């Protein structure tokens, strides 16, 4: 998904123009090609091994009350139910604490110094006005305030995948609003509660999105935020060596797949009973992680809003709202994609490589592993001489230098690594 823009003065290329795919859970039977020009986003598969239970908990509890739910149904839980079904609500992962963690890792002034040409800034307008796809009304989409607002909102959400033992495709996905203690069933496989499955134990994996930049040492928290920003900067950036400020000044330049900007083209649409596309709507890449395909828009809509319909009916909301864009990226960053861990767990020291991981060279936690999680099929076993790896690492070094932290000895490329 690459395009380029040219002018008499400056050649501006969307670097690797947003190739990342968002991988989220619900239909493990989908198998998609990584070599296709227009990549399908594969849903998150659930490991057949019992997952490690993190802060926020996980359980093998089967609730008869939940069994009568249909997708989209909600109920308010008692404190006892929140504890038994969700592992309780950990105050250290509250919205206020999550925001304080981000602010402590990187100030607004430092953020703005790192991304002078992010979309909607005066510097962006000064350059983009002479190029295609310019929007004179564009506001500061990737503003620090939008990042903080996104962290605030996601920190109020817990996410849980449950599946029947030994059948990871037979799953269901829940959302918990921590403030109101409202549990919503977002998706449930049609055979989850058939009579033959009712007696099969349920395994679960839970993510508290309030733990973003809130786990591990102070150093690891800064490294996590730097790795997150470096990866989305690469996915949304551009610039040539001759561009003003150099190529690393151009992170967060785009917020939409370029060939679809200001068009009525409809694509990334697939029939789906659980997350049906709305007529005339395109589900092409939008936001810092380039959310794509109607089934992922529907799932993410359910996690964020508690209803699949919001983003299925109005996918353009992601381009219009920088806070929402950051939220989609944080959800991706925080959610494991077994056999892949979450990028969060890798950066804060929660990940222990399996025997399979070790056999593939996936042993050294750090920035290199996050690249493998995001785009390992395309960028595995490469050092910084590869332009994509070099750019990701360049952003990472720049951001960690701005933060005043050392990454000496950290494995930052993917040399010697095979995909999970």
């Amino acid at each position: 998904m690459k395009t380029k823009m040219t002018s008499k003065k400056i050649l501006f290329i969307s670097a690797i123009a947003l190739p990342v795919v968002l991988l989220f859970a619900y239909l493990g039977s989908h198998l998609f090609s990584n070599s296709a020009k227009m990549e399908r986003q594969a849903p998150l598969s659930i490991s057949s091994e019992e997952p490690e239970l993190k802060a926020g908990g996980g359980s093998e509890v089967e609730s008869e009350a939940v069994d009568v739910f249909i997708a989209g149904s909600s109920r308010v839980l008692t404190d006892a139910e929140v504890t038994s079904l969700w592992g309780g609500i950990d105050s250290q992962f509250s919205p206020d604490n999550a925001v304080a963690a981000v602010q402590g890792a990187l100030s607004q002034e430092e953020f703005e110094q790192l991304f002078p040409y992010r979309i909607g800034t005066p510097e962006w307008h000064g350059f983009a006005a002479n190029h295609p796809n310019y929007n004179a009304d564009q506001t500061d989409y990737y503003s620090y305030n939008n990042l903080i607002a996104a962290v605030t909102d996601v920190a109020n959400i817990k996410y849980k995948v449950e599946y029947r033992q030994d059948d990871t495709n037979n799953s269901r996905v829940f959302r918990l609003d921590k403030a109101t203690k409202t549990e919503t069933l977002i998706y449930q496989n049609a055979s989850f509660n058939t009579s033959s499955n009712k007696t099969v134990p349920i395994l679960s994996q839970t993510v508290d999105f309030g733990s973003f930049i809130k786990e591990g040492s102070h150093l690891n928290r800064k490294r996590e935020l730097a790795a997150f920003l470096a990866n989305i900067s690469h996915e949304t950036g551009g610039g040539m060596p001759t561009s003003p400020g150099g190529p690393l000044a151009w992170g967060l330049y785009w917020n939409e797949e370029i060939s679809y900007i200001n068009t009525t083209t409809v694509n990334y649409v697939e029939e789906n009973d659980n997350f049906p596309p709305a007529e005339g709507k395109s589900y092409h890449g939008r936001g810092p992680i380039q959310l794509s395909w109607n089934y992922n828009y529907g799932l993410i809509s359910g996690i964020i809003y508690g209803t699949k319909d919001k983003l299925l009916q109005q996918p353009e909301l992601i381009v219009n709202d920088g806070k929402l864009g950051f939220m989609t990226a944080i959800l991706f960053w925080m959610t494991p994609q077994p056999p892949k861990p979450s990028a969060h767990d890798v950066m804060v020291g929660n990940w222990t490589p399996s025997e399979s991981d070790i056999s593939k060279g996936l042993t050294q936690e750090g920035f290199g592993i996050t690249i493998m999680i995001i785009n390992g099929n395309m960028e595995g076993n490469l050092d910084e001489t590869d332009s994509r790896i070099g750019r990701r690492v360049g952003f990472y070094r720049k951001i960690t230098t701005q933060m005043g932290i050392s990454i000496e000895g950290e494995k930052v490329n993917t040399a010697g690594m095979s995909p999970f």
Side-chain angles (χ1 to χ4, degrees), residues 39-330:
E39 290 184 283
R40 298 192 185 189
Q41 290 182 316
L44 176 143
S45 60
I46 308 304
S47 172
S48 60
E49 299 177 358
E50 183 172 354
E52 176 183 356
L53 303 181
K54 294 178 53 185
S59 64
E60 298 180 11
V61 177
E62 182 159 357
S63 168
E64 293 303 321
V66 173
D67 287 348
V68 300
F69 269 19
I70 59 172
S73 297
S74 297
R75 60 172 182 164
V76 177
L77 302 180
T78 65
D79 289 342
E81 288 172 327
V82 170
T83 298
S84 66
L85 297 173
W86 287 88
I89 297 174
D90 193 330
S91 61
Q92 70 171 317
F93 300 140
S94 70
D96 286 347
N97 286 337
V99 166
V102 174
Q103 292 173 330
L106 186 69
S107 70
Q108 180 172 349
E109 181 181 4
E110 291 170 326
F111 178 87
E112 292 176 350
Q113 288 173 356
L114 287 167
F115 306 110
Y117 287 95
R118 66 187 185 276
I119 185 170
T121 62
E123 291 83 357
W124 180 88
H125 279 284
F127 176 84
N130 299 316
H131 293 79
N133 302 318
Y134 175 62
N135 176 7
D137 297 324
Q138 179 65 57
T139 58
D140 188 354
Y141 183 88
Y142 295 112
S143 70
Y144 189 79
N145 286 340
N146 280 340
L147 172 61
I148 294 301
V151 170
T152 301
D153 282 8
V154 299
N156 188 49
I157 302 170
K158 293 185 79 168
Y159 163 97
K160 179 166 63 175
V161 174
E162 293 186 340
Y163 59 93
R164 295 292 179 179
Q165 189 172 18
D166 299 324
D167 186 0
T168 58
N169 292 330
N170 193 9
S171 63
R172 60 187 181 187
V173 175
F174 292 90
R175 170 195 196 270
L176 178 69
D177 183 309
K178 291 157 63 175
T180 64
K181 301 174 185 175
T182 300
E183 178 185 74
T184 302
L185 179 61
I186 299 171
Y187 161 81
Q188 181 167 276
N189 185 282
S191 63
F192 193 87
N193 281 322
T194 59
S195 57
S196 61
N197 281 320
K198 288 280 286 183
T199 59
V200 179
I202 296 174
L203 302 182
S204 69
Q205 189 164 22
T206 302
V207 177
D208 189 328
F209 294 118
S211 62
F212 180 62
I213 320 298
K214 272 295 294 171
E215 293 188 291
S217 67
H218 183 66
L219 172 61
N220 282 352
R221 294 179 188 187
K222 283 194 170 187
R223 287 173 57 248
E224 179 186 6
L225 183 57
F228 171 78
L229 293 173
N231 278 305
I232 67 171
S233 295
H234 166 76
E235 302 299 343
T236 61
M240 295 288 288
T242 56
S243 298
L248 298 183
W250 295 81
L252 308 183
Y253 185 90
W254 300 102
N255 67 352
E256 185 173 11
E257 192 173 340
I258 302 167
S259 60
Y260 292 85
I261 297 175
N262 298 326
T263 76
T264 58
T265 303
V266 174
N267 222 325
Y268 295 86
V269 176
E270 182 178 277
E271 291 302 316
N272 187 286
D273 292 339
N274 298 290
F275 303 110
E279 185 176 357
K281 294 296 184 179
S282 179
Y283 301 97
H284 59 269
R286 296 180 175 94
I289 288 291
Q290 290 297 276
L291 184 66
S292 303
W293 296 96
N294 50 289
Y295 46 79
N296 282 325
Y297 274 79
L299 179 63
I300 293 302
S301 181
I303 295 171
I304 293 176
Y305 299 108
T307 173
K308 65 183 179 182
D309 295 328
K310 185 79 169 181
L311 294 182
L312 285 174
Q313 297 295 326
Q314 302 178 77
E316 63 278 359
L317 289 176
I318 295 175
V319 169
N320 298 334
D321 184 350
K323 179 190 76 170
L324 178 58
F326 271 126
M327 289 177 73
T328 65
I330 294 170

Side-chain angles (χ1 to χ4, degrees), residues 6-23:
T6 61
S7 73
K8 294 180 180 179
K9 296 181 179 180
I10 299 174
L11 174 66
F12 186 88
I13 297 179
S14 174
I16 318 303
L18 317 169
V20 68
V21 294
L22 181 61
L23 308 175

Side-chain angles (χ1 to χ4, degrees), residues 361 364-369 382 407 409-417:
Q364 295 176 262
E365 63 184 33
F367 187 71
I369 296 290
L382 297 169
I407 56 173
E410 181 178 343
K411 176 73 169 176
V412 294
N413 60 39
T414 65
M417 299 181 186

